[in-house]
């Protein structure tokens, strides 16, 4: 990469930050709710006995939407919130007092859980986690949740935490 390309990249990143800081507060919670609802309705593959780790309510995507929404809402007052990486952003939101220690811990735990589950599903070429499946047994063992029911209980608990933070996100 030559210095002209490096300079252009730096200028772009500065412009991006300026736009996000200026316009981030314009993004409303209602816009995010509409967007999430459309994604869930059109793309989620969840049904009775199967669990969409990424797109279902309280899943990975809702977690990422929540974190990004909070970053946008508060970046004008705290530009250090504009960073990539969900876990790093969660920690920064906690440091800024936007997320409580408990919410931060729960979101980080949920993020790691969802990413691990998503990776296992991807490696096994399966779009959703199904009750009674071999993948559920493998995932339970890998995550050291000895019983399959414990993994599903943990999934529901993580989703509940994510949804709770989203519901309390300032609007």
């Amino acid at each position: 990469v030559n210095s002209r390309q490096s300079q252009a990249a730096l200028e772009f990143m500065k412009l991006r930050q300026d736009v996000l800081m200026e316009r981030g507060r314009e993004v409303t919670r209602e816009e995010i709710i509409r967007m999430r609802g459309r994604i869930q309705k059109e793309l989620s593959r969840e049904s009775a006995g199967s669990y969409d780790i990424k797109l279902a309510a309280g899943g990975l995507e809702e977690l990422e939407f929540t974190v990004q929404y909070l970053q946008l809402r508060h970046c004008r007052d705290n530009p250090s919130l504009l960073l990539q990486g969900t876990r790093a952003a969660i920690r920064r939101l906690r440091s800024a007092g936007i997320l409580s220690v408990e919410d931060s811990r729960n979101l980080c735990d949920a993020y790691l859980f969802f990413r691990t589950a998503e990776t296992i599903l991807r490696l096994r070429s399966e779009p959703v986690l199904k009750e009674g499946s071999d993948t559920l047994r493998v995932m339970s063992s890998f995550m050291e949740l000895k019983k399959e029911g414990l993994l599903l209980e943990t999934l529901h608990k993580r989703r509940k935490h994510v949804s709770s933070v989203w519901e309390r996100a300032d609007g």
Side-chain angles (χ1 to χ4, degrees):
V1 178
N2 66 39
S3 67
R4 195 174 339 162
Q5 287 175 323
S6 295
Q7 183 62 33
L10 289 172
E11 288 173 17
F12 174 78
M13 294 302 286
K14 173 71 172 122
L15 176 63
R16 176 183 158 268
Q17 181 174 342
D18 291 346
V19 169
L20 289 173
M21 287 175 55
E22 183 61 34
R23 308 220 45 211
R25 286 188 178 168
E26 295 174 16
V27 175
T28 67
R29 192 169 189 280
E30 289 72 28
E31 289 173 310
I32 301 296
I33 290 170
R34 278 194 305 277
M35 189 183 324
R36 282 284 303 133
R38 197 176 85 229
I39 289 170
Q40 285 177 317
K41 181 181 174 187
E42 295 175 11
L43 300 176
S44 179
R45 298 178 182 162
E46 186 152 297
S47 62
S50 69
Y51 305 91
D52 191 328
I53 301 296
K54 186 171 184 172
L55 299 176
L60 180 59
E61 189 171 85
E62 187 167 301
L63 187 154
E64 291 173 335
F65 267 73
T66 300
V67 171
Q68 291 167 8
Y69 171 74
L70 290 172
Q71 286 177 287
L72 284 173
R73 291 296 293 170
H74 297 280
C75 68
R76 179 183 247 165
D77 297 330
N78 192 341
S80 71
L81 294 175
L82 289 177
L83 72 157
Q84 294 183 350
T86 302
R87 289 175 56 208
I90 291 168
R91 287 190 297 272
R92 192 75 53 93
L93 288 163
R94 182 196 64 225
S95 295
I98 296 162
L99 288 174
S100 69
V101 171
E102 181 181 0
D103 285 340
S104 173
R105 182 178 30 84
N106 286 333
L107 288 177
C108 281
D109 289 348
Y111 184 77
L112 291 173
F113 177 87
F114 292 147
R115 280 291 179 203
T116 302
E118 182 185 47
T119 298
I120 292 169
L121 287 169
R122 193 175 322 116
L123 289 171
R124 297 178 67 87
S125 300
E126 295 184 24
V128 295
L129 181 61
K130 294 181 181 171
E131 289 181 15
S133 69
D134 185 52
T135 299
L136 179 59
R137 285 186 285 284
V138 167
M139 194 179 293
S140 296
S141 176
F142 182 81
M143 292 184 173
E144 298 181 356
L145 298 168
K146 301 304 179 200
K147 297 185 302 182
E148 296 168 27
L150 187 54
L151 184 127
L152 294 176
E153 183 181 312
T154 302
L155 171 64
H156 293 303
K157 184 172 115 183
R158 301 284 189 235
R159 284 179 168 184
K160 186 176 178 180
H161 287 296
V162 169
S163 290
S164 172
V165 174
W166 168 244
E167 288 166 8
R168 291 180 282 114
D170 62 332

